[in-house]
Amino acid sequence: MPFILFFILACNLYARDITIIVEDVELDMPLEGAIVRVEGGESGGASGGAEKATDENGRAVFAVPDNRQMRLQIAYPGYENAIFITPPVGTTFTVGLRLSGGAGLENRELVIEAQRPGASETKTGRSVAISGDDLARTAEIGIIEDVMTSIKLLPGVGYTGMFNAMPSIRGGEPGDLTAVFDGFYIENPYHWGGGVSIFDPRMVQSAQLSHGVFSVRYGHTISGLLEITGRKPEPSDVELELGLSSSAANLNVSYPLFGRGGVMIMGKATYWDPFVSLAKLAVDEVNYIKIAPYIRSAGFGANYRFTQNLEWTMFGFIGGDGAGAFYNNPLEYNGMVMHTNFDFEWFNLQGFLITGITFNPKPNMALKASLGGGFLRTNLHGFIDYDLTVPYSDEFLDLFKDKTFSYPSGVSITGETYAIDTTMFADMVNTTANYQARADYDWDVGKGFLFAAGVQGLYARYKLEEHDQAVLESSGAFLTPVAGAPISAYYNMPYTYNNSIANQSLASSAYTLLEYASPGKRFGGELGVRLDHLFFTGKDFTLQTLPVINPRLNLDWNIARDTGVFDGVTATIGSGLFSSITDNISSIQSGDGFYGDFGLKQNRSWTSIAGIKLDFFGFSLNVEGYYKYVFDRAYSRLATDSASQTIAIERKFDGEGRIWGFDLMLQKTSSRYWDGWISYSFNWARYRNPSSATYTADWFYPTFHRFHNLNLVLNIKPFRFLNVATRFGFASGAPKMVAGEIDWYPVIVLDEKGTPVDIIQKYKRENFYSDTERDGFALTWDVKVSFFAYSRSGRGQMEVYIAVENILATLETRRRNTSFNQYTGKEDQGSNAASYQLPIPMPSIGFRWTY
């Protein structure tokens, strides 16, 4: 505790207090309850996210890093938002707001931004936002700069490892995180099949993770919503940014349009070949890479303010990613001779284009309409051919050698080895096109009340062409000797799967809500209801869901303000219903066991939350507890038919989940010499699939579940030209199956016509679920050291950085079960850890120049 107090006091010794006075510029009257929020500013400036409400005199006091500029956003219902950059000197500044969209300012120029419904902000019990320097320091690091790197450091987000951008949000399934970009739902916001997200930090102004009882303005998720606000061009200055690193190059250019808007282009290209070459020296598997993983992406943005009350925006994105591997490798292992020929290629291309207008017909009204379309095309090619010669075990030969069978007749074991030649391949082309439209209306009706309503529509077309050949192994066979009892065995048969799907869906939604804020924002609330419906068609069927109603309620209390050591104490409670559609619904076919009209269900959840936020000494402590009940959850199971050599997919909609936990986040909101945050999350999550034939029919911990997640983000700024950013993470173990004994079993090999041709020996191990078994904990530690240089005019800035990610990779204790060879029964050395994390530290260097 004395150590913590020392840092708190030291931080305030090197900061100055400034007073912001917010007034109605026309009436010269102080505005009580105006929200003044720190957005984040120049490198080395304050952390974004701190906000205060003005008192009865329109005043709010902030601690500002000495000799630094800080970007403030000022908002008040019925008035236009304003952005204020604090000068390096002075202690008191007055900001005047106008209902008509103008603004006045003493001592400093003021820039006006149009009010945008749903802009990113941190709200206890609803969401946590990250922007400005916080986003840059945590996302612009390492071999892949990704906004999801920052999101994974926030409370409530489960550990995933380095190359996995699909975390569990407060115990929810990883695939249920829904992303929107400026209100546009992104079908698949990932590169490399989920390895990283498409959101480059240089195309993002702010990111908001909503994992509580968030507004009915958005839906299509029962777990978490990631709202991305795109960067807007600078309306008055030309901006240029060039970035080069050991693995990627970035270029951003922004050009103003007559002081009313601007246009902006962005591009990114990775070049991993040098890194792959280096990794080949340390990791043998890397030698099989024939196409180094790559990303190529570009973005285009534009906006224009025709009048003070009408603004147009547009943003487009296109990105591609790919990878490839090949090896042709002979192997002798424990008496087995094997030759393998493997080839794999992946290519993914996606894009979207959105446009919209924001119109203020009256000073207290805002209308926002948007229209957009997107596409996704994924090509996958995989081929593997292996032929092997394997010795039978002595025990197997004692039982079966030189014996004749009534089934399979004409097949016998005469030698001491068997040979098998297997060819498998997968070729898939998956194409999705979607078109979206939405309209949102906000009306400040007065006396603290805000009414809002909106409608949304999302039409999508899915096409899938798939051609696979595999070897299907199933139980139910019996070896029947001429003399002796039948012996249980397995079938091993080639299986060819050809599939062509052309489906369409229309998801329609409508919402309405009422917000209230008392004078001075001592009390506030939001009551809303959302209606979601899905209509689905295929080649020879039509499905739809029953409309689901999702009411939500949030209540907020400003318990104390500028009382004792506390700058503010805010409490909140909330409860609401949510719904979503599982991804695999897009591949439904009429032969899947038809569901009939209204047989299709949306995933549902009921979430309740309570939280409290304490602001003191430039720190902010946010604590939230939650309970979530999941019902009507969709899941799939495979049903195989050995006689017809077919596989059927059965979808069920009776899954359940019970989740509870709490999160806390302690953040240093502004400081001259250091800032950052520490977050901790505890999560208890159990699921049940009642119709499953496996252990999941009873309550179980899902494979992605971890009880504890801890993250520390610390930025040390001893000089203006030097910044040391570090990220440390700890996560407890994930569930692990209990491994049984390895044992052999006989397999009857069938040809393409289902005729037995051989009897071979294979090995298997039964794994058993356990509530108590866990693998080892995970540790992450990344460090980035940045050096800055500034031009004399202050318009130019250069950054050179050195970073090392995954420093503690070799210290992780992944106690996964060992793998074994299914043909020899011999255990492999080491553990079979299912993780995207590479087992080596990953250094990088980079350069960035902005003007």
Side-chain angles (χ1 to χ4, degrees):
M1 182 60 70
F3 181 74
I4 296 177
L5 282 175
F6 170 79
F7 276 99
I8 293 176
L9 294 174
C11 175
N12 286 274
L13 285 175
Y14 294 98
R16 60 188 172 102
D17 288 339
I18 66 166
T19 301
I20 302 296
I21 303 174
V22 183
E23 295 181 346
D24 184 305
V25 72
E26 296 177 345
L27 302 177
D28 197 25
M29 178 183 69
L31 298 177
E32 180 183 3
I35 299 300
V36 184
R37 181 175 182 272
V38 179
E39 280 197 337
E42 297 179 359
S43 296
S47 297
E51 67 177 36
K52 294 185 179 181
T54 56
D55 60 18
E56 62 274 9
N57 297 314
R59 295 171 176 262
V61 180
F62 287 85
V64 178
D66 204 12
N67 296 326
R68 301 296 175 89
Q69 291 183 316
M70 187 167 67
R71 183 180 173 94
L72 303 176
Q73 182 185 47
I74 300 97
Y76 192 78
Y79 291 75
E80 290 203 13
N81 291 359
I83 300 297
F84 176 52
I85 309 297
T86 62
V89 295
T91 58
T92 302
F93 307 95
T94 301
V95 177
L97 304 181
R98 286 192 179 98
L99 287 173
S100 60
L105 171 67
E106 299 175 9
N107 300 330
R108 188 71 174 178
E109 179 186 0
L110 182 67
V111 181
I112 296 299
E113 290 188 351
Q115 187 176 18
R116 297 191 295 173
S120 297
E121 57 181 329
T122 296
K123 283 190 175 182
T124 302
R126 299 168 180 77
S127 59
V128 57
I130 184 168
S131 61
D133 286 344
D134 286 338
L135 184 62
R137 291 173 186 148
T138 54
E140 295 176 10
I141 176 176
I143 59 175
I144 291 295
E145 297 181 350
D146 184 9
V147 167
M148 281 304 301
T149 304
S150 300
I151 298 300
K152 290 190 288 187
L153 299 171
L154 298 178
V157 182
Y159 171 84
T160 62
M162 181 179 295
F163 293 111
N164 187 346
M166 302 175 67
S168 167
I169 307 298
R170 284 184 169 171
E173 295 193 52
D176 196 55
L177 175 63
T178 297
V180 296
F181 189 97
D182 286 347
F184 183 87
Y185 289 92
I186 306 298
E187 178 74 23
N188 179 45
Y190 304 107
H191 290 301
W192 298 335
V196 298
S197 83
I198 66 173
F199 303 122
D200 186 283
R202 292 180 175 84
M203 65 183 266
V204 173
Q205 178 67 33
S206 63
Q208 175 177 298
L209 177 65
S210 299
H211 50 23
V213 182
F214 55 87
S215 173
V216 294
R217 296 178 189 270
Y218 290 102
H220 303 301
T221 180
I222 62 173
S223 177
L225 175 73
L226 179 60
E227 296 179 66
I228 301 295
T229 301
R231 286 184 60 181
K232 296 178 64 176
E234 181 64 36
S236 57
D237 292 310
V238 176
E239 291 186 337
L240 176 63
E241 180 176 348
L242 173 65
L244 297 172
S245 71
S246 51
S247 58
N250 300 79
L251 176 64
N252 295 0
V253 180
S254 174
Y255 191 82
L257 294 176
F258 316 110
R260 292 178 172 268
V263 294
M264 178 173 55
I265 58 173
M266 295 159 282
K268 172 182 178 178
T270 64
Y271 39 85
W272 271 37
D273 300 85
F275 169 73
V276 169
S277 299
L278 181 63
K280 287 180 178 181
L281 301 177
V283 182
D284 289 339
E285 288 77 8
V286 178
N287 287 284
Y288 302 132
I289 294 177
K290 72 172 184 178
I291 302 176
Y294 66 88
I295 295 173
R296 309 285 188 267
S297 63
F300 172 82
N303 74 303
Y304 192 80
R305 183 185 291 274
F306 295 97
T307 69
Q308 292 179 339
N309 300 318
L310 179 63
E311 183 183 17
W312 166 78
T313 60
M314 181 179 71
F315 194 92
F317 170 85
I318 186 168
D321 59 271
F326 172 81
Y327 66 84
N328 192 327
N329 188 29
L331 175 68
E332 293 189 18
Y333 176 76
N334 288 324
M336 178 186 70
V337 179
M338 181 177 183
H339 184 273
T340 303
N341 185 7
F342 173 82
D343 186 37
F344 169 81
E345 290 184 7
W346 161 278
F347 175 70
N348 181 69
L349 180 67
Q350 63 180 306
F352 60 85
L353 177 66
I354 53 178
T355 184
I357 60 170
T358 301
F359 177 55
N360 299 100
K362 293 183 179 181
N364 61 341
M365 292 183 182
L367 175 64
K368 186 174 183 179
S370 62
L371 181 70
F375 74 92
L376 169 69
R377 181 180 176 88
T378 301
N379 291 63
L380 170 68
H381 167 73
F383 173 87
I384 183 169
D385 177 84
Y386 61 88
D387 56 84
L388 50 87
T389 302
V390 188
Y392 291 108
S393 70
D394 293 339
E395 184 180 4
F396 191 93
L397 292 174
D398 290 341
L399 287 174
F400 300 119
K401 187 176 182 180
D402 298 326
K403 289 190 175 181
T404 57
F405 301 90
S406 57
Y407 184 83
S409 61
V411 178
S412 62
I413 300 173
T414 57
E416 297 187 352
T417 63
Y418 67 88
I420 188 169
D421 189 355
T422 300
T423 299
M424 296 182 289
F425 63 82
D427 289 291
M428 181 197 72
V429 178
N430 189 1
T431 305
T432 301
N434 71 85
Y435 308 92
Q436 303 177 34
R438 64 179 295 158
D440 302 270
Y441 173 71
D442 287 47
W443 177 27
D444 186 348
V445 298
K447 296 185 178 180
F449 287 94
L450 174 72
F451 169 79
V455 293
Q456 304 162 11
L458 196 163
Y459 168 76
R461 292 184 302 172
Y462 310 96
K463 294 185 66 176
L464 174 66
E465 296 291 336
E466 188 174 6
H467 307 283
D468 301 334
Q469 178 175 299
V471 174
L472 180 66
E473 190 168 288
S474 62
S475 59
F478 288 94
L479 279 173
T480 308
V482 172
I487 300 173
S488 177
Y490 280 69
Y491 287 114
N492 184 302
M493 55 187 173
Y495 172 74
T496 301
Y497 179 73
N498 297 307
N499 193 20
S500 178
I501 295 176
N503 293 337
Q504 303 176 71
S505 69
L506 176 63
S508 53
S509 307
Y511 74 87
T512 183
L513 65 87
L514 184 67
E515 295 182 10
Y516 173 73
S518 66
K521 295 198 173 183
R522 292 289 183 179
F523 171 77
E526 177 182 322
L527 174 63
V529 63
R530 180 183 178 90
L531 185 70
D532 289 292
H533 176 261
L534 177 70
F535 182 78
F536 199 91
T537 65
K539 291 180 179 179
D540 51 3
F541 68 92
T542 298
L543 296 174
Q544 63 177 316
T545 66
L546 285 170
V548 295
I549 301 175
N550 296 315
R552 300 170 199 170
L553 173 66
N554 282 289
L555 300 174
D556 305 292
W557 290 269
N558 194 332
I559 300 173
R561 182 187 301 162
D562 297 326
T563 302
V565 299
F566 295 107
D567 299 320
V569 179
T570 305
T572 186
I573 59 173
S575 187
L577 289 171
F578 300 82
S579 62
S580 71
I581 297 294
T582 187
D583 290 340
N584 66 10
I585 293 299
S586 63
S587 60
I588 282 181
Q589 299 182 85
S590 58
D592 290 345
F594 210 58
Y595 310 99
D597 238 3
F598 306 118
L600 191 65
K601 292 184 179 181
Q602 300 190 39
N603 300 325
R604 304 294 307 280
S605 74
W606 170 47
T607 301
S608 297
I609 194 165
I612 187 169
K613 181 182 179 184
L614 309 174
D615 296 315
F616 57 96
F617 294 126
F619 286 82
S620 178
L621 175 64
N622 193 69
V623 182
E624 298 179 10
Y626 58 90
Y627 173 80
K628 179 162 54 179
Y629 173 64
V630 179
F631 58 101
D632 291 345
R633 186 177 65 88
Y635 59 95
S636 303
R637 65 180 187 180
L638 294 178
T640 60
D641 188 335
S642 301
S644 61
Q645 295 181 265
T646 59
I647 299 177
I649 300 176
E650 297 180 355
R651 293 178 176 84
K652 300 296 182 180
F653 302 94
D654 56 358
E656 293 182 275
R658 295 173 181 169
I659 304 167
W660 66 271
F662 64 89
D663 306 325
L664 64 85
M665 182 176 185
L666 177 64
Q667 183 178 17
K668 184 68 188 72
T669 54
S670 62
S671 172
R672 164 62 180 86
Y673 286 103
W674 68 278
D675 56 44
W677 70 81
I678 184 171
S679 67
Y680 169 76
S681 301
F682 173 83
N683 178 261
W684 186 95
R686 303 261 281 178
Y687 287 84
R688 185 169 75 99
N689 302 328
S691 300
S692 173
T694 68
Y695 70 89
T696 62
D698 200 359
W699 292 101
F700 65 96
Y701 291 108
T703 56
F704 52 82
H705 174 257
R706 297 176 185 270
F707 283 111
H708 309 282
N709 283 274
L710 175 71
N711 290 294
L712 171 65
V713 177
L714 182 62
N715 300 301
I716 303 173
K717 303 167 285 185
F719 309 101
R720 190 181 182 212
F721 65 84
L722 177 63
N723 186 95
V724 180
T726 183
R727 311 177 306 201
F728 173 80
F730 166 84
S732 59
K736 183 181 74 169
M737 301 292 283
V738 178
E741 296 295 326
I742 299 174
D743 198 8
W744 65 265
Y745 62 100
V747 178
I748 302 172
V749 180
L750 308 179
D751 63 13
E752 292 82 355
K753 297 179 180 180
T755 304
V757 295
D758 201 358
I759 301 173
I760 65 174
Q761 179 186 20
K762 294 182 69 176
Y763 291 81
K764 65 179 179 178
R765 177 169 61 190
E766 298 292 341
N767 292 324
F768 305 93
Y769 172 78
S770 170
D771 278 341
T772 58
E773 284 295 311
R774 296 266 164 169
D775 66 2
F777 59 82
L779 291 174
T780 60
W781 183 29
D782 308 324
V783 175
K784 176 185 178 182
V785 180
S786 299
F787 301 91
F788 298 92
Y790 306 90
S791 65
R792 292 186 177 182
S793 64
R795 295 176 60 87
Q797 175 182 303
M798 183 180 67
E799 175 189 4
V800 177
Y801 73 82
I802 302 172
V804 182
E805 298 176 279
N806 211 23
I807 297 175
L808 302 179
T810 58
L811 299 182
E812 293 187 25
T813 58
R814 302 293 189 86
R815 296 188 300 270
R816 289 282 184 183
N817 296 326
T818 57
S819 60
F820 65 96
N821 188 291
Q822 61 178 328
Y823 295 103
T824 65
K826 303 298 183 181
E827 282 190 297
D828 298 326
Q829 299 298 317
S831 63
N832 183 23
S835 170
Y836 284 88
Q837 193 83 306
L838 290 179
I840 56 173
M842 307 181 71
S844 62
I845 58 175
F847 164 84
R848 185 176 63 168
W849 178 76
T850 59
Y851 178 81

